[in-house]
Amino acid sequence: MTNIFEDLENGDTSFQNIFKDKTTLDHRFLPEKLVHREEQIKQIAKYWIDVLNDVTPSNVTLYGKTGTGKTAASKFAREQLLDVASRKKVFVKVEYIRCTDYTTEYQVLAQLCNKLGRDVPNRGWTKGEVVNTFRDIFKTNAFGKNLHLIVILDEIDILLDKDGDGILYTLTRTDNVSVLSISNYLDFKNLIKSRVTSSLNDKEIVFPPYGADQLSDILFERAELSFNEGVLESDVIPLCSAMAAKEEGDARYALDLLKNAGELAYDENSEHVTSEHVRMAKDRIEHNKVSDIISTLPLQQQRVLEAILLLTKQDDEITSGKLYDSYVELSKKDAVTYRRIFDFINELELLGIISTNTISRGRGKGRTNIIKLQCDQDLLETTLYSI
Ligand SMILES: Nc1ncnc2c1ncn2[C@@H]1O[C@H](COP(=O)(O)OP(=O)(O)O)[C@@H](O)[C@H]1O
Ligand SMILES: [Mg+2]
């Protein structure tokens, strides 16, 4: 008997083989070459090169919006540095920490200690004990040679926001340790107190958004690895690139569009990926994004959305006051205060789910906030009621 999977792989003609290697479209995939980021990578190298001469490198900060290649560039520079260091027998470690996974100073330091061969429990010690254990690694030459450590703190905004700048203080004041921070916001320094800014003394590297042509280059490189030859119609990559250029030059979004378009073509058993698949991919991604955001909101915030949905259906102009009444009706006893609702409204607006518009009612009547839904009404309804 033949094997159905093998038949499919070996070109059963009723089956269209779209992908050559889908893993190369995965978020975690690190390409061998990062086009249009040569300059930024060279800048990182220019600072890190000190470590090859036993000098602690400057601290570096990478800034740029989502999908501008910050994470990829830092990992690329890390691979390159570790490669030359091992050949030159320089004792350097580069540890990558994603601050969405390690959200406190304690967790980051414990993780670093563990990576460097010192056991620290995930909880239970005082912060002082962890800090001392960490510093000890560099004091005692635990490895017999002068160890240098570069810590990549990716998505650092989250950690600073939640836990303060203690982690930067500790790291920048430990001998032989250098930090590369990655931030999505240009004003990230506002989260840092001056006592830290002076010891951080960092070099800044900006990652500008990609333009449509640059995104096209990135997608062409990637498509060669991931799709079978001749599968993509000629307007597919230009369209993905143009759409992503509008979304603030986000390469992740461009790659997501391409991947989803490919999957849709595969599901349809289509021979080619077409611009129509790209348009469908766009809807699918937006749909998933909105339902992801809504389903992970805190309960009270979901109730606020539910109230907005009800009022929208009644075709009412939604003022904050009306919204609050409707919300209280829904929540009954555990309703939060009117003031809290304003915070919720702000957050929902930041997430792009609603918009607000302040209008003046005329002299002496003050101003009113008008709230409008910005996502698809049916999508909101199905998501809310499926929770
Ligand atoms: N210049 C580039 N060449 C190839 N792929 C890139 C490039 N820039 C970004 N990417 C890809 O786009 C996605 C998003 O990049 P990432 O480094 O995660 O962005 P950021 O960290 O700035 O949000 C990743 O899958 C990455 O591999
Ligand atoms: Mg990143």
Side-chain angles (χ1 to χ4, degrees):
M1 203 171 95
T2 62
N3 181 295
I4 184 167
F5 292 97
E6 275 168 359
D7 288 350
L8 289 177
E9 277 194 326
N10 295 337
D12 174 343
T13 44
S14 67
F15 165 84
Q16 301 300 337
N17 233 334
I18 295 281
F19 292 107
K20 179 155 64 182
D21 179 4
K22 222 170 116 180
T23 57
T24 60
L25 291 168
D26 199 276
H27 288 167
R28 282 160 302 184
F29 178 78
L30 184 63
E32 268 172 38
K33 185 162 101 190
L34 293 173
V35 285
H36 302 299
R37 282 304 176 237
E38 294 86 357
E39 202 45 50
Q40 284 79 2
I41 293 168
K42 210 184 275 174
Q43 286 187 52
I44 300 175
K46 208 176 80 192
Y47 299 123
W48 280 6
I49 197 169
D50 280 344
V51 82
L52 298 176
N53 301 312
D54 209 15
V55 175
T56 309
S58 303
N59 298 310
V60 180
T61 305
L62 313 186
Y63 291 104
K65 294 196 166 139
T66 306
T68 52
K70 303 179 298 297
T71 301
S74 70
K75 288 188 168 173
F76 186 88
R78 171 195 186 211
E79 299 293 311
Q80 296 266 302
L81 177 64
L82 293 179
D83 175 50
V84 63
S86 82
R87 281 190 278 119
K88 295 196 174 215
K89 311 246 180 300
V90 176
F91 202 33
V92 53
K93 300 228 169 197
V94 185
E95 296 299 344
Y96 174 86
I97 305 263
R98 220 171 63 144
C99 301
T100 39
D101 300 335
Y102 303 91
T103 54
T104 63
E105 179 180 0
Y106 185 112
Q107 285 173 8
V108 173
L109 290 177
Q111 169 71 1
L112 289 173
C113 287
N114 292 336
K115 287 258 184 157
L116 299 173
R118 298 289 178 97
D119 282 341
V120 173
N122 283 334
R123 57 181 67 211
W125 285 17
T126 64
K127 193 146 82 186
E129 284 171 317
V130 190
V131 172
N132 285 338
T133 307
F134 176 70
R135 292 218 161 119
D136 214 41
I137 299 174
F138 303 93
K139 264 189 218 138
T140 55
N141 281 339
F143 293 85
K145 281 187 258 175
N146 230 357
L147 169 68
H148 283 277
L149 172 68
I150 297 176
V151 185
I152 301 175
L153 292 176
D154 201 354
E155 314 272 350
I156 192 174
D157 314 281
I158 291 169
L159 199 161
L160 294 178
D161 218 17
K162 280 199 176 154
D163 197 52
D165 57 13
I167 184 66
L168 283 178
Y169 189 75
T170 302
L171 291 178
T172 55
R173 287 178 182 242
T174 304
D175 290 338
N176 287 9
V177 175
S178 160
V179 181
L180 180 132
S181 334
I182 304 181
S183 166
N184 289 320
Y185 305 99
L186 268 170
D187 62 353
F188 118 106
K189 292 265 170 61
N190 295 344
L191 295 168
I192 305 176
K193 296 196 201 90
S194 57
R195 63 175 186 141
V196 178
T197 332
S198 61
S199 58
L200 184 63
N201 188 24
D202 61 335
K203 313 288 184 193
E204 303 181 349
I205 303 176
V206 174
F207 284 59
Y210 291 116
D213 290 345
Q214 295 179 320
L215 290 168
S216 275
D217 292 340
I218 293 171
L219 292 188
F220 270 113
E221 293 268 339
R222 199 66 70 90
E224 219 154 84
L225 304 171
S226 45
F227 287 92
N228 282 315
E229 220 180 304
V231 161
L232 296 182
E233 284 192 350
S234 62
D235 50 356
V236 165
I237 287 183
L239 184 59
C240 292
S241 310
M243 282 175 171
K246 268 201 215 152
E247 295 287 326
E248 315 202 297
D250 181 345
R252 182 172 311 137
Y253 183 63
L255 285 162
D256 278 347
L257 278 173
L258 189 61
K259 179 180 171 194
N260 277 279
E263 284 172 347
L264 289 162
Y266 179 89
D267 291 347
E268 280 180 6
N269 207 23
S270 157
E271 205 175 328
H272 293 110
V273 184
T274 67
S275 54
E276 194 45 41
H277 291 127
V278 177
R279 289 196 189 87
M280 282 156 60
K282 179 171 188 269
D283 290 343
R284 178 155 111 175
I285 292 170
E286 252 152 50
H287 185 282
N288 291 343
K289 195 172 93 187
V290 171
S291 56
D292 275 359
I293 292 176
I294 295 170
S295 53
T296 52
L297 284 175
L299 175 69
Q300 296 300 335
Q301 216 144 322
Q302 287 173 351
R303 289 224 181 102
V304 171
L305 263 181
E306 196 180 336
I308 295 175
L309 177 67
L310 288 175
L311 293 170
T312 307
K313 280 186 168 173
Q314 292 162 15
D315 230 0
D316 260 351
E317 193 180 62
I318 310 176
T319 60
S320 331
K322 255 193 217 164
L323 173 59
Y324 189 66
D325 292 343
S326 163
Y327 158 80
V328 170
E329 182 102 349
L330 281 170
S331 345
K332 305 263 161 30
K333 272 195 223 104
D334 57 348
V336 301
T337 61
Y338 189 59
R339 271 196 67 103
R340 271 301 274 150
I341 293 291
F342 277 100
D343 295 338
F344 289 169
I345 291 173
N346 274 334
E347 282 162 33
L348 292 172
E349 184 169 22
L350 278 176
L351 291 169
I353 298 177
I354 62 169
S355 68
T356 67
N357 193 9
T358 312
I359 56 165
S360 171
R361 294 278 188 208
R363 266 163 68 93
K365 296 201 178 130
R367 292 160 177 281
T368 319
N369 228 356
I370 302 295
I371 296 153
K372 268 209 186 106
L373 211 52
Q374 285 299 326
C375 65
D376 186 74
Q377 196 174 318
D378 296 332
L379 173 58
L380 175 62
E381 182 156 13
T382 38
T383 312
L384 278 177
Y385 294 115
S386 68
I387 298 168

